[in-house]
Amino acid sequence: MIDRLEVILARYEEINNDLSDPSIFNDVKKMTELSKEKNSLEEVVSVYKNYKEILKRIEEANELIHDSELGDMAREELNTCQIQKEDLEDKLKILLLPHDPNDEKNVIVEIKGAAGGDEANIFAGDLFDMYQKYANNQGWKIDILNSIEGTAGGFTNIEFMIKGEGVYSKLKYESGAHRVQRVPVTESQGRVHTSTATVLVMPEAEEFDFELDMSEVKIDITRSSGAGGQGVNTTDSAVRVTHIPTGIIVYSQVERSQIRNKELALKILKTRLYDMKLKEKEEADDKERRNKIGTGDRSEKIRTYNYPQNRLTDHRIGFTSMNLDRIMDGDLGVVIEALINEDQKRKLAGNE
């Protein structure tokens, strides 16, 4: 472990030297790559420096442990340092796990009402509210990219971007089918129904991640439809983008500007294609797929929200909380933390 940490420390210092070289200022791509790499190494370097300092203190305490005057103080220092050393070693083991290069990225999330008609769309709206409140708690920003409202409330489909620090590292476990059990507002007999909404979380494709061949893209301008204020149905501002090789279609109408809708549609398309590329890579890496929590597929049932019992259950890790009301009010962190801990546990076991 020490050998790996010394290599990381040397690389970190090398990056710092490169970033201070005036010749790199004009190379935006190189500077961006180095800055990202530096940020990804900062925490492990900081913890390793603390670890080295603890080792130094242990060495000094061992030298004084038999001293007639300072021996008791040295033994107390040694005990304290040993505890800190073990804690730092555990932290370093986790930090040295393979790092997901997308963890620091913003995300594009798509939520769709699935099985259950109007109630599924209403639940899709509830999930959007949950993520919105959680994002606010984290200090993240949400931008709606496209939405189609359900006739009884909620959404048949909503796509939105969440921007902030480490968004994908926390929300990447949310992809899949979310199941709700409750008495729908549309139910007159008071019976509990089961409905589902699907969530897809994709890391935002940045400029250097994916290059879109515009010759493979068809762009159609259409008239906006649905709710959206006075501008709807009066201007041809909505944009439909089709990626010919894959058949992926993206529709954007949230902005009044045709140019802005086109930009949003292309951003979503790039992110979808980048997500496909990542999934193909994961399929090729059998070990990565085995250690992963869930498949990330929209069809996989990952979680149940039981309103009568105020219970949430994540089926992938056997996690249950009896505080569903608080989770829906934005306290999603308890679930995310459990998923991250299990992910780290599986990766540590896989490395061993």
Side-chain angles (χ1 to χ4, degrees):
M1 184 174 78
I2 298 297
D3 289 343
R4 286 183 64 194
L5 288 165
E6 284 295 326
V7 169
I8 290 170
L9 180 59
R11 176 58 183 158
Y12 182 80
E13 291 169 350
E14 181 185 3
I15 292 170
N16 275 333
N17 289 334
D18 288 344
L19 286 172
S20 63
D21 185 348
S23 65
I24 203 173
F25 293 164
N26 293 326
D27 190 341
V28 178
K29 182 177 180 181
K30 185 68 174 174
M31 199 166 180
T32 302
E33 289 173 349
L34 287 174
S35 296
K36 283 185 178 180
E37 187 179 356
K38 178 187 174 184
N39 289 339
S40 72
L41 299 178
E42 270 180 346
E43 186 177 6
V44 68
V45 167
S46 175
V47 174
Y48 181 46
K49 285 180 177 178
N50 289 341
Y51 181 71
K52 291 178 79 170
E53 182 60 33
I54 291 294
L55 292 180
K56 183 180 178 183
R57 284 168 56 187
I58 288 173
E59 185 180 345
E60 291 170 349
N62 276 320
E63 290 175 358
L64 295 172
I65 203 165
H66 298 298
D67 188 281
S68 57
E69 295 182 3
L70 301 174
D72 289 344
M73 188 183 298
R75 274 187 285 273
E76 186 176 335
E77 169 78 352
L78 190 61
N79 288 336
T80 300
C81 288
Q82 285 290 358
I83 293 170
Q84 292 177 339
K85 174 177 175 284
E86 290 173 10
D87 288 344
L88 288 171
E89 283 176 345
D90 289 341
K91 192 168 185 180
L92 285 168
K93 285 177 184 176
I94 291 172
L95 288 171
L96 287 174
L97 289 171
H99 178 71
D100 187 336
N102 293 303
D103 273 354
E104 298 307 313
K105 289 180 186 271
N106 301 325
V107 301
I108 290 179
V109 183
E110 181 185 69
I111 304 176
K112 286 185 173 183
D118 287 340
E119 168 64 3
N121 295 337
I122 293 169
F123 181 51
D126 293 338
L127 289 176
F128 171 69
D129 290 341
M130 178 186 74
Y131 291 126
Q132 191 170 39
K133 290 171 182 175
Y134 177 64
N136 288 337
N137 292 343
Q138 297 294 310
W140 298 338
K141 181 185 176 187
I142 283 188
D143 291 327
I144 295 177
L145 304 176
N146 192 40
S147 66
I148 303 173
E149 294 180 4
T151 54
F155 301 96
T156 61
N157 181 61
I158 182 167
E159 292 168 291
F160 53 97
M161 175 174 281
I162 306 181
K163 301 176 182 177
E165 185 178 343
V167 181
Y168 186 70
S169 69
K170 292 183 170 67
L171 293 183
K172 62 184 176 182
Y173 308 100
E174 294 301 297
S175 290
H178 296 238
R179 181 174 63 177
V180 63
Q181 294 174 329
R182 65 185 177 187
V183 179
V185 292
T186 54
E187 167 59 51
S188 58
Q189 303 298 319
R191 293 172 298 186
V192 173
H193 287 219
T194 298
S195 305
T196 57
T198 59
V199 176
L200 178 63
V201 177
M202 301 170 285
E204 180 191 11
E206 296 174 352
E207 184 180 352
F208 305 121
D209 291 327
F210 188 87
E211 189 171 337
L212 182 62
D213 184 350
M214 291 304 295
S215 69
E216 297 178 341
V217 176
K218 180 186 177 187
I219 299 175
D220 296 304
I221 309 302
T222 65
R223 184 152 292 186
S224 299
S225 61
Q230 294 178 351
V232 171
N233 291 326
T234 61
T235 59
D236 291 332
S237 60
V239 175
R240 184 175 61 242
V241 173
T242 305
H243 186 245
I244 298 167
T246 61
I248 293 174
I249 298 174
V250 176
Y251 186 77
S252 179
Q253 65 172 16
V254 292
E255 300 286 344
R256 299 287 179 89
S257 162
Q258 183 187 119
I259 294 174
R260 181 63 181 142
N261 279 327
K262 178 183 173 183
E263 289 173 355
L264 291 176
L266 288 174
K267 181 182 283 291
I268 297 171
L269 177 61
K270 286 180 182 178
T271 296
R272 285 185 179 281
L273 292 171
Y274 180 55
D275 188 58
M276 283 179 59
K277 180 179 166 186
L278 292 175
K279 282 184 168 57
E280 288 170 2
K281 179 180 178 297
E282 188 181 288
E283 286 295 318
D285 188 342
D286 189 54
K287 181 181 176 183
E288 182 180 340
R289 190 172 68 252
R290 285 200 311 272
N291 288 340
K292 188 179 179 184
I293 292 177
T295 63
D297 291 338
R298 195 190 286 272
S299 60
E300 181 191 15
K301 287 185 176 64
I302 65 168
R303 198 174 291 158
T304 295
Y305 302 70
N306 186 300
Y307 277 72
Q309 298 177 18
N310 199 34
R311 184 185 75 235
L312 178 143
T313 302
D314 194 292
H315 305 292
R316 296 165 296 178
I317 61 173
F319 173 85
T320 295
S321 169
M322 303 305 293
N323 295 305
L324 174 61
D325 54 341
R326 289 170 54 184
I327 291 169
M328 297 306 292
D329 200 38
D331 192 18
L332 185 61
V334 292
V335 188
I336 302 283
E337 197 65 34
L339 287 160
I340 289 174
N341 289 339
E342 178 62 23
D343 189 28
Q344 291 173 346
K345 179 180 170 184
R346 291 185 187 185
K347 285 177 179 173
L348 281 169
N351 282 359
E352 290 166 3

